[in-house]
Amino acid sequence: MSLREKKAAKKKAEMIRSALSIIEEKGYHATTMEDIASKLLMTKGSVYYYFKDKQDLLFQSQKMLLTQCITNIEEIRAKDLDISEKLRKIMVVHIEYLITERTGFAMGSKPEQFFSGDQLKGILQLRDQYSKHIDDILQEGIAEDVFTAVDIKIVRNIILGAMNWVIEWYSPTGVKDKTELAESIADYLLRILIKDTYKVERGMIR
């Protein structure tokens, strides 16, 4: 991606975040393109240059968020890390990103409420792509005898469910900041998976 393309992508991402804030405030159905244009300090015609309509804006927001999630996990998987540390880092980054982009993820928690046809199919494909990465990590950990043999689909859904639910109860005024919270949750979730023999070998338990 060229510098110009990166700047354009950054501007569009900032527009999406700002637009989502007004949609969150007024509600999806009550928000108009005029409201969005006013929030962005743009003419309605300029907003239509970037988004066909409110539905397209919401779709592009979900596509942006999920694509970044996939990029995050692919970058971590490419690192030379122990499989348990790799999964821990994936969890921490996932939770931090959820909290950072809380509004967008909250609106996309039930995509069938807003999308249908090709849009819904596209969102679900991105979700499946991310889930496949988690499945692969779990399988690798089991193969390396680091993780306990588990039903991968069930455990993946437990992990994703626990992480994604954070946006429902996280408070920025809480005792822990988002990184501390993400690390704590990751540590708890890893206890489901890591074998005691591996913990002993690494001095995690005695």
Side-chain angles (χ1 to χ4, degrees):
M1 185 182 290
S2 68
L3 180 60
R4 183 178 180 180
E5 289 172 330
K6 287 181 180 178
K7 286 183 177 179
K10 182 179 179 181
K11 178 181 179 180
K12 192 169 185 178
E14 289 171 350
M15 289 173 63
I16 287 173
R17 293 187 185 100
S18 186
L20 288 178
S21 69
I22 190 68
I23 292 174
E24 179 187 37
E25 178 185 329
K26 298 191 67 173
Y28 177 77
H29 296 292
T31 304
T32 65
M33 288 298 279
E34 287 84 356
D35 295 327
I36 292 170
S38 177
K39 177 70 175 180
L40 298 176
L41 302 178
M42 298 170 65
T43 65
K44 191 166 70 169
S46 296
V47 176
Y48 278 120
Y49 174 80
Y50 292 94
F51 311 105
K52 289 185 294 185
D53 51 30
K54 183 173 58 175
Q55 176 80 16
D56 180 51
L57 188 154
L58 187 59
F59 172 69
Q60 290 197 47
S61 77
Q62 296 308 302
K63 186 177 178 181
M64 177 188 77
L65 294 174
L66 291 169
T67 299
Q68 185 60 53
C69 282
I70 292 168
T71 297
N72 291 344
I73 200 170
E74 287 177 342
E75 288 177 350
I76 296 169
R77 290 195 67 188
K79 294 180 182 293
D80 184 20
L81 296 171
D82 174 271
I83 193 68
S84 64
E85 183 57 32
K86 193 172 288 188
L87 179 56
R88 183 179 187 275
K89 190 169 185 63
I90 286 169
M91 291 175 178
V92 170
V93 169
H94 181 103
I95 295 167
E96 287 180 323
Y97 189 54
L98 278 173
I99 292 172
T100 301
E101 301 289 353
R102 186 176 182 178
T103 299
F105 279 111
M107 293 192 66
S109 61
K110 295 181 179 179
E112 64 280 358
Q113 290 184 345
F114 298 104
F115 309 115
S116 60
D118 288 341
Q119 285 188 341
L120 180 59
K121 182 179 179 181
I123 294 299
L124 295 180
Q125 284 177 339
L126 289 171
R127 285 187 165 201
D128 288 345
Q129 189 176 341
Y130 188 83
S131 294
K132 178 65 165 51
H133 279 295
I134 299 293
D135 291 352
D136 290 345
I137 287 284
L138 295 176
Q139 188 60 62
E140 288 173 26
I142 293 169
E144 292 179 19
D145 205 32
V146 174
F147 299 157
T148 302
V150 295
D151 184 311
I152 289 176
K153 182 177 179 180
I154 290 175
V155 172
R156 175 246 293 161
N157 285 333
I158 289 172
I159 290 171
L160 286 176
M163 294 194 299
N164 293 342
W165 190 248
V166 170
I167 60 175
E168 297 293 335
W169 55 266
Y170 169 76
S171 171
T173 60
V175 175
K176 295 177 185 270
D177 63 27
K178 66 179 180 181
T179 298
E180 293 171 328
L181 179 64
E183 290 175 344
S184 293
I185 293 171
D187 288 338
Y188 282 122
L189 291 174
L190 277 173
R191 292 179 186 178
I192 300 173
L193 291 165
I194 297 180
K195 283 189 167 185
D196 286 343
T197 51
Y198 179 81
K199 293 177 184 176
V200 171
E201 289 172 3
R202 293 302 176 101
M204 297 166 71
I205 59 173
R206 300 183 184 279

